[in-house]
Amino acid sequence: MKTQSKTKQISGHGTVSVVTLGCEKNTVDSEVIGGMLSRRGVNLEENAERAETVIINTCGFIDHAKKESISAILEAVELKKQGIIKQVFVAGCLSERYRSELEAEMPEVDRFFGTQDFERILTSIVGDGAVVPNAPVDLKHNLLGERQQLTPKHFAYLKISEGCDHPCSFCAIPIMRGGHRSRGIEELEFEAMMLASNGVKELVLIAQDSTNYGLDLYNERSVAKLLTRLARVQGIEWIRLMYAYPAKFPLDLLDVMASEEKVIPYLDIPVQHASTEVLKSMRRGITRRATEELIATIRDRVPNIALRTTLITGYPAEGDREFEELEEFVEQMQFDHLGVFTYSQEDGTTAHPLGDPIPTSEKLHRQQRLYDIQAEISLNKNLLKVGSDETILIERKRIADDAGSQEEDSDAYYGRTSSHAPEVDGEVLVSSKKELGIGEFVQARIIAVRDHELQAEIV
């Protein structure tokens, strides 16, 4: 669970705590909500128990996320029953999709909102006319940088589009988020400038489908043009692209990645499966052969690229033979990073009528099998890095772990190379005889690998 991490001591409308669950897209939404409230004189409180109003920004992607969201709502409702807080608002994907059911089951919740009801949330808390003097009141201004950043100061997520047009059989995102809607290049460039002025050095571009960016606005996939424009923003050092849909991949993106220094050689490309039969049932619009050819092209044109992917195990059409094919694919492709979801049957999706025939225990067994294969791949890749010099972005000081001590270790830090996306790809332990700044770029030499963790020392 993520909570609003900044507190503004501005009186007038009580205190609000924003609790964020789910993916980075939800994080950005919560940052926008927090920024809008702050601009209108609302005190944002980190601890929900010290707030008058709690907003739960829910996730409804898979069963585990739904259960986590329900649990968070029930916790807030209990605080309301005890008189600790006054109001409970529920927003986000779960609320968008199951609002009527939630309203019937949870009458203690004061209001339910959808995924894009920012202005309605604002009005419900401060009213139609309550604003801070001289504060801009238009929604667009808030979307262009007036965010209460939940990530560390040195990196931020930049949501380049909303929704998705792909018909993937297992996915309910179009039901919850609607069709694909890109944000304009000028708007995103301005937001990047605002974030840079606040100390952001790394932009992580996110969307439901980042490679479809611009098709609705410019009649062509325009993510390469967007990256070129963002690379001009002063203060931004790294630009990272996540959620690149593999079907109809825009190859001009690779030219920008190879030529623009700020666009780092990293790509998150969720392939979901390797069996052509499973991919056909999933309605992914691509075959195994085409997937392999795309990955080969990416590596040929950007030789030093780090590739991350996500996979699904336990999909209804995945028999033993199809899973063996997936294992073979993981071995063959040698991804740098890999995440694995177990299949979750979702109401309203085209895969729902297929049922959920594979037991949870088998899904988890297959998931662990893939993680075991990837662990060996990652270890071997890390061993090849020993002795190399890397640019590392310092994230935090290490907390000494001897005898349960919680004191900071003054000569050890955790950071990330360009091959590591924040929050999902791990870190590098950096030794230094001098004080390092959080958010500082340093040159360090990889000296060892321990438990798949890279260790480095300042050059």
Side-chain angles (χ1 to χ4, degrees):
M1 179 184 298
K2 305 171 186 175
T3 58
Q4 183 61 260
S5 60
K6 298 216 176 180
T7 302
K8 291 282 187 180
Q9 300 300 330
I10 307 174
S11 61
H13 304 289
T15 56
V16 175
S17 179
V18 183
V19 178
T20 307
L21 301 123
C23 66
E24 300 89 349
K25 276 82 75 178
N26 258 19
T27 297
V28 173
D29 290 346
S30 289
E31 290 177 344
V32 171
I33 292 169
M36 294 175 70
L37 292 172
S38 179
R39 294 289 292 179
R40 278 125 181 109
V42 176
N43 173 18
L44 300 176
E45 174 56 58
E46 180 178 358
N47 188 338
E49 295 189 17
R50 294 201 297 263
E52 294 181 25
T53 299
V54 173
I55 302 171
I56 312 292
N57 190 5
T58 61
C59 177
F61 182 52
I62 55 177
D63 283 341
H64 174 75
K66 294 176 188 175
K67 291 174 182 177
E68 185 181 25
S69 294
I70 293 295
S71 177
I73 297 170
L74 293 176
E75 288 177 18
V77 166
E78 184 60 30
L79 292 177
K80 180 182 176 183
K81 289 180 179 177
Q82 296 173 16
I84 297 174
I85 63 178
K86 294 182 179 179
Q87 294 186 109
V88 178
F89 291 167
V90 175
C93 290
L94 191 74
S95 181
E96 177 78 40
R97 191 175 182 196
Y98 298 107
R99 186 179 311 193
S100 59
E101 294 93 329
L102 292 171
E103 287 174 340
E105 294 292 330
M106 299 178 174
E108 302 89 349
V109 173
D110 295 274
R111 295 286 299 274
F112 288 91
F113 303 92
T115 56
Q116 298 295 301
D117 288 341
F118 302 138
E119 288 184 308
R120 290 183 59 235
I121 293 172
L122 179 69
T123 302
S124 297
I125 293 174
V126 303
D128 291 323
V131 295
V132 176
N134 302 318
V137 296
D138 61 290
L139 178 61
K140 183 177 180 180
H141 179 89
N142 286 281
L143 289 172
L144 291 182
E146 292 301 321
R147 292 160 44 178
Q148 289 292 311
Q149 198 171 324
L150 298 176
T151 57
K153 185 178 180 180
H154 53 274
F155 83 86
Y157 295 110
L158 183 65
K159 184 157 64 168
I160 64 174
S161 64
E162 183 62 84
C164 185
D165 288 340
H166 293 291
C168 301
S169 65
F170 54 85
C171 185
I173 285 176
I175 300 173
M176 296 181 287
R177 294 273 178 175
H180 181 86
R181 305 178 304 283
S182 302
R183 297 175 60 195
I185 290 178
E186 292 78 10
E187 184 178 303
L188 291 166
E189 185 178 28
F190 183 74
E191 182 172 357
M193 293 169 60
M194 295 282 287
L195 291 167
S197 71
N198 289 330
V200 169
K201 297 180 179 179
E202 177 183 8
L203 289 178
V204 184
L205 273 56
I206 57 173
Q208 270 73 42
D209 169 18
S210 61
T211 40
N212 221 28
Y213 172 79
L215 191 60
D216 53 323
L217 291 181
Y218 309 116
N219 295 317
E220 63 178 3
R221 292 173 175 81
S222 307
V223 68
K225 292 180 180 178
L226 172 63
L227 289 169
T228 301
R229 289 281 288 274
L230 294 177
R232 301 175 187 170
V233 176
Q234 296 295 316
I236 299 299
E237 301 294 332
W238 282 358
I239 303 173
R240 186 184 305 274
L241 186 65
M242 308 292 285
Y243 308 111
Y245 197 90
K248 300 180 181 179
F249 186 93
L251 294 178
D252 60 342
L253 164 62
L254 303 178
D255 297 329
V256 175
M257 213 168 259
S259 61
E260 287 285 357
E261 184 177 351
K262 291 184 179 181
V263 181
I264 58 176
Y266 177 101
L267 190 64
D268 169 55
I269 181 165
V271 300
Q272 309 301 7
H273 215 277
S275 163
T276 295
E277 289 304 310
V278 173
L279 289 169
K280 182 178 179 181
S281 179
M282 286 181 168
R283 304 175 71 180
R284 293 287 289 172
I286 198 168
T287 63
R288 173 173 177 172
R289 180 177 178 180
T291 302
E292 291 172 347
E293 289 174 350
L294 173 60
I295 292 170
T297 298
I298 292 170
R299 284 175 165 156
D300 179 61
R301 294 173 65 168
V302 190
N304 59 335
I305 196 166
L307 290 180
R308 174 181 178 80
T309 196
T310 51
L311 304 170
I312 295 174
T313 63
Y315 182 80
E318 182 191 77
D320 292 340
R321 180 176 60 83
E322 287 77 19
F323 179 68
E324 289 172 4
E325 191 174 349
L326 183 56
E327 288 180 298
E328 178 189 59
F329 175 80
V330 172
E331 290 270 18
Q332 176 187 342
M333 290 296 101
Q334 296 282 301
F335 291 103
D336 296 270
H337 307 286
L338 181 148
V340 185
F341 293 98
T342 57
Y343 175 71
S344 174
Q345 188 181 27
E346 298 296 322
D347 297 335
T349 61
T350 55
H352 189 272
L354 300 177
D356 194 10
I358 300 175
T360 299
S361 59
E362 178 61 22
K363 294 177 186 178
L364 293 172
H365 171 73
R366 294 178 182 182
Q367 179 189 51
Q368 188 58 52
R369 175 59 186 152
L370 294 179
Y371 277 139
D372 290 343
I373 295 171
Q374 182 61 35
E376 184 175 355
I377 293 171
S378 296
L379 176 59
N380 291 334
K381 283 179 172 284
N382 284 340
L383 287 171
L384 292 174
K385 295 178 181 179
V386 174
S388 66
D389 293 342
E390 298 276 355
T391 299
I392 297 177
L393 177 59
I394 300 299
E395 295 261 87
R396 58 189 172 90
K397 279 191 173 183
R398 185 179 73 167
I399 302 297
D401 53 10
D402 56 313
S405 171
Q406 293 300 303
E407 296 180 359
E408 290 184 338
D409 188 338
S410 61
D411 64 352
Y413 299 79
Y414 280 105
R416 293 182 289 107
T417 72
S418 63
S419 298
H420 297 86
E423 304 184 314
V424 292
D425 288 341
E427 297 173 303
V428 182
L429 180 63
V430 182
S431 299
S432 175
K433 295 180 181 179
K434 67 175 183 177
E435 187 81 10
L436 301 179
I438 306 304
E440 177 184 356
F441 287 97
V442 300
Q443 291 297 313
R445 181 161 296 150
I446 306 300
I447 58 173
V449 178
R450 185 185 68 177
D451 296 332
H452 313 302
E453 175 186 86
L454 289 170
Q455 293 180 279
E457 60 183 11
I458 296 298
V459 176

